[in-house]
Amino acid sequence: FSERKNRNKMEFEFNREKSSFIKVLKGKCEKNALKCSVEDNKIMIETFANSEGKLEDTIPAVFKGTIEAKENKTSIKGRFTNGFYLTTLVAVAAILIIARLSWSIYQKQLDNIIMCAIATAILVIVCVVVNIKGKKTKERIITLLKQLQ
């Protein structure tokens, strides 16, 4: 087993054939309350809702990547995403805040400028909290992949 990290991408190598590795991975994921799906050469490991409909973790995380077989080895390359479109939501909100801030500065509306600053601060706080709370789920998935030797 080996692990490499490049920016947001991660790579794991295992000393098992692809078919047996996938069987073991699916079994371990089920035991750890994770959902694993493999289609062709694509793999996705994610948290899922339990029987009461609640997510097992506060912030869902999804590991998406590709799985490759090389001789008697299997490698997984992929990266983590949130279980929702946080980046898109933040980008749209930032564009709207910048547009409103620009118009407020042009119109010299101090109240709206203050409101834009408050909205920006809230947006930054939400992003930080999501990244901090999401680490727990990401660590669960990384630990699972490290245990598969």
Side-chain angles (χ1 to χ4, degrees):
F1 164 77
S2 68
E3 170 195 359
R4 281 182 251 158
K5 254 184 175 179
N6 293 347
R7 283 181 116 184
N8 292 334
K9 295 202 174 202
M10 299 185 80
E11 183 177 344
F12 298 92
E13 282 191 18
F14 305 93
N15 292 325
R16 289 186 183 202
E17 289 182 353
K18 183 178 174 181
S19 58
S20 67
F21 173 75
I22 291 172
K23 288 178 187 177
V24 172
L25 177 64
K26 285 184 176 184
K28 288 278 190 176
C29 284
E30 193 175 308
K31 288 180 184 176
N32 288 299
L34 297 170
K35 181 180 174 184
C36 177
S37 58
V38 179
E39 251 182 63
D40 297 327
N41 290 332
K42 298 193 185 284
I43 186 168
M44 185 166 65
I45 303 171
E46 61 185 320
T47 57
F48 63 93
N50 63 18
S51 59
E52 291 105 36
K54 297 179 183 175
L55 281 174
E56 292 292 319
D57 295 296
T58 313
I59 303 292
V62 180
F63 179 82
K64 291 182 180 180
T66 58
I67 186 167
E68 297 176 3
K70 300 175 187 173
E71 296 173 12
N72 287 334
K73 292 185 178 185
T74 304
S75 68
I76 297 176
K77 296 176 186 175
R79 64 185 183 98
F80 283 99
T81 61
N82 293 315
F84 49 92
Y85 299 105
L86 177 68
T87 307
T88 305
L89 291 173
V90 169
V92 170
I95 290 169
L96 293 174
I97 290 170
I98 290 169
R100 184 63 199 178
L101 179 64
S102 301
W103 186 250
S104 297
I105 290 172
Y106 178 73
Q107 295 289 323
K108 297 181 182 169
Q109 297 171 333
L110 185 60
D111 292 344
N112 285 340
I113 294 171
I114 292 170
M115 181 190 68
C116 289
I118 291 170
T120 302
I122 291 170
L123 191 62
V124 168
I125 290 169
V126 166
C127 290
V128 169
V129 168
V130 165
N131 284 327
I132 290 172
K133 294 220 177 222
K135 283 184 181 180
K136 179 182 173 187
T137 308
K138 291 176 185 177
E139 288 299 319
R140 276 184 53 206
I141 294 172
I142 290 171
T143 302
L144 171 90
L145 290 171
K146 285 181 179 179
Q147 288 175 353
L148 296 172
Q149 294 181 9

